[in-house]
Amino acid sequence: MSTRPMLSRTPSDLPWTTSNQHRFPQRRWRPLLMWMLLACTTIAIFQIGLRAGSPPTTFTVPEVSSSHPSALTFSTHPITRMMDEAEERFRAKVERQSKTLPEAIEEYKRRYGMPPPKGFDGWWEYTRKYDVVLVDEYDTLMRDLAPFYALRGKKELGDYSDNDEDPLRPGSGLDSNGWALGGGPEMRRRIAEVAGVSSIDLVRVRNGVPSTVSINKDGFVDDEVSARARGLKSMLGKCVAVLPDMDFPVNAKAEGRVIVPWDRWEVAGQDATTSDKIGLGMGNRTYIEVVTDDKSNSAHPLSTFRPDWRGEGNVWDTWRRTCPPNSTARKFYASIRSAMLDRSVPSSFTFAPSTSFNAISFCDQPHLHYTQGHFFSDWRTLGDLYPVLSPARAKGFGDIKIPSHYYYGSTDAYTYGWDEVNLELQPTDRGEVAWGDETDLGPNGEGGVDDRDLTIDPSYDGHTNTANPPKNRKTGKESKRNKIFWRGATTGGGNSPPGFAALYQRHRAVRMAGWDVEGDVEIWIPSTTSLLPNSSSSSTAKKSNYNDVPLTAHKVPAATLNKALMDVAFVKANNADQYPGGLERLMAEHRFSGSVYLGGHWQYKYLLDLDGMSYSGRFMSFLASDSVPIKSTAYEEFFSEWIEPWLHYIPLSSSYEEIYNIFGYFSGIPAEVVEEVYGNATNPETGAPLFPPGTKIPAIPGAPDGDARLRRIARAGKQWKRTIGRTLDLESYVYRLALEWARLCADDRDAMTMKV
């Protein structure tokens, strides 16, 4: 056995608890942020406002799941419960889907308070022909479209006349069928206006034929033009022949474009009143048109729109106006507080039931906006209600979600199983590595993770070299490496205002997973003493009752743990000059490694999926693999209500703090960590070594069926991709969107409504 450094930790230290862990080193960029706090505290007049609007000092978010550590076992572990509940929820969702067209029509009317659009029966035939599973789950689409049903036309432009209004509801702005007056012409007018904005392209349908169009942008050069528009055009292929002429404005950027302030909406039930202006499709609110006497831009309100901020405002200052007037974010001086200046750290034993899209309220905790790069985008947002189709939407934005072209097309960088030589999709990627023998606890207490039992060829890349995947030294079987893996570029936000790149989501994750970080991590797993030979408690390690062994908090050096279970690094430095201190400091404070083919990811059990400038385009490929995605995102995508966290993937909070206890539950503590931390520990009563020389120090296993549960998530995600995340399902979503779009753009919306 190799010589190990002496450590003072002994079993008597268990359980280790600490109220305010602070393992992140205070980097040199922190003083650059201190001016924000100092500016506020040195001006006495601001002190009251700061105290009144001060947000909580942790990352703790609502709707989280945790257990009281004093009674914690694997059988009562929150992950055990959340996995079981997720499976039941998804099974119930699938079972309640409509089986016939009449059932689907009734369900549509029940959910949305109106009949479905014309052509709904054709869409239903499509779902039956191609075995679409979730035929009723389009609530996110309808929420995206609801604001546009609230648009009213302009009588002075001939969009409607006084005779068109419902005589029973004078002043409502609704026709006798409940549709907003002149909504169709206004929708088309706004489409035409926004089509002239930089980085907005059109997918145009004329006589059943789709095409992509890029309007003249006054010489503005954009290297992303038409990538997403071409994807949407392809997705319309199976339904375009039945569509009327119409235009779809498509966002060429990854970032969201539309932000509508709070004061542009009249909400039913607000101030204990009920609005009589709420029409069909509007949800619970109606849009308030701003009337101005300025005629200079009456022909084209966006004619003077500039694509970037140029130091005149920023996304956050615009976004916070979507919050209620009494929210913390609207109290300006409370909203400039940096999350990274907080001394406390969120609980590492708090697990997110879903992604951060619904979990975080930036209105109530505005300091958290510093941790999300989309609030610092350099691209100017549209401050009014314009129909723009984007592949993802962050909270508070008004973009309409469409499937990403990365999910629909086939490339070797984003598509699992793509054979670029024969230009065809294979069911199994050539870089796929078998799961291997499960590392769960054996019947006599043996088991656990030790990647040192694997033979690893460093030249294996899953693409050009697939000859020698990782294998178990003892059995010779292929076996995935039990690590959390991520590679990516330093994207994640813009530079408006400058100086905040260190706080963006990818930068935080890479620093957290660094191999030289300071401090400790708490992982709740069984005590080491239960695994020692001849221990009076060793019988508790038997698989039959390991579920009920009390869990204790193991305090492990973060650097030691990261080296054993984290392989997280940047591969490319984009816009390094935007990082405080430039490229030199960026390289010094983050781990960088070589690029990795997509196929190289499949040799790892855990695949970390992080937002970049927007959503992650690799998520679908991760699901299609035999590995398990751990996804942290602030975005909602078109499939968000189709997929079930803790069944098809593992959700991760925006703080990432719980990732160690996620690993601990499924995989325990690797043997190499146990050896380094406990290898020289002594029995406090006898002074004898806990592990005599020559003893093989075991891993501390996770849940008795932890590896099997992890593999179950991998298989469930793969099955979801094969049955619900197919290109056919993306086309089904776009088909439904197109039918709703046709009705929204129609002069006579009732004529574009299915007669039932």
Side-chain angles (χ1 to χ4, degrees):
M1 187 169 61
S2 61
T3 303
R4 296 179 294 266
M6 291 297 294
L7 298 175
S8 60
R9 296 182 177 87
T10 69
S12 62
D13 294 322
L14 299 175
W16 290 299
T17 59
T18 178
S19 59
N20 282 318
Q21 298 180 79
H22 193 69
R23 70 169 180 279
F24 299 117
Q26 304 309 306
R27 301 293 190 179
R28 286 170 291 176
W29 46 261
R30 282 193 58 200
L32 298 177
L33 305 179
M34 289 298 294
W35 65 268
M36 294 182 299
L37 186 61
L38 293 174
C40 295
T41 56
T42 55
I43 302 176
I45 193 171
F46 295 154
Q47 289 179 345
I48 297 177
L50 278 169
R51 288 193 296 269
S54 179
T57 58
T58 73
F59 284 94
T60 304
V61 296
E63 300 183 12
V64 294
S65 181
S66 61
S67 289
H68 197 284
S70 64
L72 186 65
T73 65
F74 281 126
S75 61
T76 62
H77 199 288
I79 291 181
T80 303
R81 174 179 55 79
M82 288 191 292
M83 286 188 66
D84 294 343
E85 291 175 352
E87 187 171 344
E88 182 58 33
R89 274 196 309 271
F90 189 74
R91 183 184 296 111
K93 179 181 290 186
V94 172
E95 289 176 352
R96 69 171 179 258
Q97 298 301 297
S98 298
K99 307 300 188 295
T100 65
L101 176 59
E103 288 180 3
I105 292 172
E106 287 305 311
E107 180 64 14
Y108 184 103
K109 292 165 63 178
R110 183 191 70 80
R111 292 191 183 211
Y112 312 125
M114 59 182 177
K118 183 179 179 181
F120 188 82
D121 50 347
W123 169 82
W124 178 260
E125 291 177 6
Y126 173 95
T127 67
R128 299 305 86 198
K129 179 179 180 180
Y130 295 110
D131 299 318
V132 176
V133 176
L134 299 178
V135 294
D136 294 326
E137 308 306 321
Y138 288 83
D139 290 355
T140 59
L141 170 62
M142 299 305 289
R143 282 196 296 269
D144 288 353
L145 296 178
F148 299 95
Y149 274 107
L151 287 175
R152 290 171 171 82
K154 296 177 174 60
K155 184 170 65 174
E156 63 273 18
L157 296 180
D159 295 341
Y160 67 92
S161 67
D162 291 336
N163 294 331
D164 295 327
E165 189 171 48
D166 184 358
L168 299 179
R169 289 182 287 182
S172 66
L174 305 175
D175 66 17
S176 57
N177 295 304
W179 304 109
L181 291 174
E186 181 64 19
M187 182 75 171
R188 298 196 304 272
R189 186 178 299 118
R190 294 191 178 222
I191 290 173
E193 292 174 0
V194 79
V197 172
S198 299
S199 302
I200 300 290
D201 301 306
L202 284 181
V203 173
R204 176 164 287 168
V205 177
R206 295 293 184 269
N207 299 318
V209 178
S211 63
T212 55
V213 180
S214 183
I215 307 298
N216 187 343
K217 305 298 195 301
D218 297 326
F220 181 78
V221 178
D222 193 326
D223 59 4
E224 294 181 273
V225 165
S226 294
R228 292 174 176 86
R230 287 196 303 268
L232 179 62
K233 173 191 169 185
S234 298
M235 287 180 243
L236 287 167
K238 288 186 174 66
C239 69
V240 69
V242 302
L243 299 178
D245 292 352
M246 53 186 172
D247 294 333
F248 299 90
V250 181
N251 180 14
K253 294 295 183 186
E255 302 95 323
R257 305 298 294 274
V258 181
I259 298 179
V260 184
W262 169 272
D263 58 9
R264 301 303 295 272
W265 301 103
E266 179 182 342
V267 181
Q270 188 172 319
D271 300 326
T273 63
T274 301
S275 174
D276 60 357
K277 298 180 181 179
I278 303 296
L280 293 176
M282 296 183 188
N284 71 332
R285 59 183 182 172
T286 184
Y287 179 76
I288 301 174
E289 183 70 51
V290 173
V291 179
T292 177
D293 294 330
D294 182 11
K295 304 298 183 181
S296 59
N297 288 324
S298 59
H300 197 319
L302 294 178
S303 60
T304 60
F305 181 84
R306 292 192 291 187
D308 55 8
W309 291 105
R310 304 184 189 183
E312 300 172 356
N314 55 72
V315 174
W316 168 251
D317 196 40
T318 302
W319 186 94
R320 70 186 186 88
R321 289 174 172 80
T322 67
C323 299
N326 62 346
S327 65
T328 306
R330 294 290 289 271
K331 301 172 183 177
F332 181 77
Y333 291 103
S335 68
I336 62 172
R337 177 182 182 187
S338 170
M340 298 303 286
L341 296 179
D342 291 330
R343 289 288 180 180
S344 57
V345 175
S347 170
S348 61
F349 202 79
T350 296
F351 302 94
S354 185
T355 61
S356 298
F357 177 80
N358 289 314
I360 294 180
S361 171
F362 295 106
C363 290
D364 297 327
Q365 295 177 293
H367 64 294
L368 293 182
H369 90 271
Y370 289 100
T371 67
Q372 298 298 323
H374 67 267
F375 287 116
F376 298 87
S377 171
D378 295 324
W379 300 107
R380 188 183 298 269
T381 54
L382 304 172
D384 204 349
L385 185 61
Y386 280 97
V388 176
L389 305 180
S390 297
R393 189 179 79 167
K395 199 78 170 180
F397 282 74
D399 301 57
I400 301 165
K401 296 183 296 294
I402 56 172
S404 169
H405 63 297
Y406 291 127
Y407 300 154
Y408 189 78
S410 295
T411 67
D412 57 3
Y414 289 96
T415 309
Y416 178 89
W418 178 244
D419 181 350
E420 74 273 16
V421 176
N422 299 306
L423 300 180
E424 60 184 14
L425 200 61
Q426 303 294 340
T428 302
D429 194 277
R430 61 184 168 186
E432 186 61 83
V433 175
W435 191 270
D437 295 323
E438 292 180 353
T439 59
D440 286 330
L441 191 72
N444 296 313
E446 74 279 5
V449 178
D450 190 349
D451 271 4
R452 295 176 299 181
D453 291 336
L454 301 180
T455 299
I456 298 172
D457 180 359
S459 67
Y460 179 86
D461 61 17
H463 188 78
T464 61
N465 181 359
T466 60
N468 297 301
K471 293 181 180 179
N472 188 295
R473 296 180 189 273
K474 299 176 182 177
T475 65
K477 294 181 180 179
E478 286 187 15
S479 180
K480 288 184 183 292
R481 302 173 68 176
N482 212 15
K483 289 182 182 292
I484 299 170
F485 185 80
W486 183 86
R487 290 292 187 273
T490 60
T491 56
N495 203 37
S496 298
F500 295 91
L503 306 183
Y504 298 165
Q505 54 274 11
R506 290 186 172 187
H507 298 75
R508 290 187 291 109
V510 173
R511 286 199 305 275
M512 174 178 169
W515 294 351
D516 59 350
V517 295
E518 301 170 359
D520 298 326
V521 174
E522 255 185 16
I523 301 184
W524 287 82
I525 51 177
S527 166
T528 52
T529 57
S530 65
L531 301 178
L532 295 178
N534 304 320
S535 169
S536 61
S537 60
S538 63
S539 61
T540 63
K542 307 300 183 184
K543 189 170 184 178
S544 58
N545 58 0
Y546 192 65
N547 254 326
D548 297 319
V549 172
L551 305 185
T552 56
H554 291 245
K555 192 175 181 183
V556 181
T560 300
L561 202 58
N562 286 347
K563 289 176 185 177
L565 61 91
M566 294 280 197
D567 192 349
V568 176
F570 285 131
V571 299
K572 183 179 180 182
N574 290 339
N575 301 317
D577 58 323
Q578 297 180 1
Y579 191 85
L583 178 62
E584 182 179 356
R585 184 169 293 182
L586 175 66
M587 298 288 290
E589 296 181 348
H590 302 82
R591 181 182 166 220
F592 279 78
S593 183
S595 297
V596 175
Y597 289 109
L598 184 65
H601 289 70
W602 317 142
Q603 60 184 302
Y604 300 92
K605 288 185 178 180
Y606 299 89
L607 298 178
L608 189 58
D609 194 50
L610 302 173
D611 293 336
M613 297 301 293
S614 180
Y615 70 105
S616 167
R618 295 185 294 187
F619 183 55
M620 286 290 187
S621 64
F622 287 178
L623 286 168
S625 75
D626 292 333
S627 301
V628 177
I630 304 179
K631 185 173 183 63
S632 177
T633 182
Y635 294 92
E636 184 180 58
E637 297 185 60
F638 80 97
F639 59 81
S640 293
E641 62 186 338
W642 293 358
I643 198 167
E644 191 66 48
W646 292 110
L647 174 60
H648 303 120
Y649 69 96
I650 298 175
L652 184 67
S653 73
S654 61
S655 74
Y656 318 135
E657 285 292 321
E658 74 275 26
I659 195 169
Y660 297 101
N661 274 296
I662 288 173
F663 188 95
Y665 174 86
F666 291 108
S667 302
I669 294 183
E672 59 189 288
V673 176
V674 179
E675 180 177 328
E676 181 168 340
V677 176
Y678 302 108
N680 287 318
T682 58
N683 188 313
E685 297 179 359
T686 65
L690 288 178
F691 298 99
T695 302
K696 180 179 180 180
I697 299 179
I700 303 178
D705 58 347
D707 197 57
R709 280 180 171 267
L710 186 66
R711 192 176 190 183
R712 196 165 83 195
I713 295 176
R715 287 171 167 170
K718 192 179 190 75
Q719 180 66 9
W720 183 94
K721 179 63 176 69
R722 287 176 172 175
T723 58
I724 299 176
R726 307 165 300 165
T727 55
L728 291 167
D729 298 292
L730 277 61
E731 291 172 351
S732 174
Y733 181 95
V734 170
Y735 197 157
R736 274 284 290 266
L737 167 63
L739 296 179
E740 298 288 351
W741 200 264
R743 179 162 61 180
L744 274 169
C745 295
D747 288 331
D748 186 350
R749 286 178 174 170
D750 200 56
M752 292 301 294
T753 298
M754 186 177 185
K755 306 305 177 186
V756 295

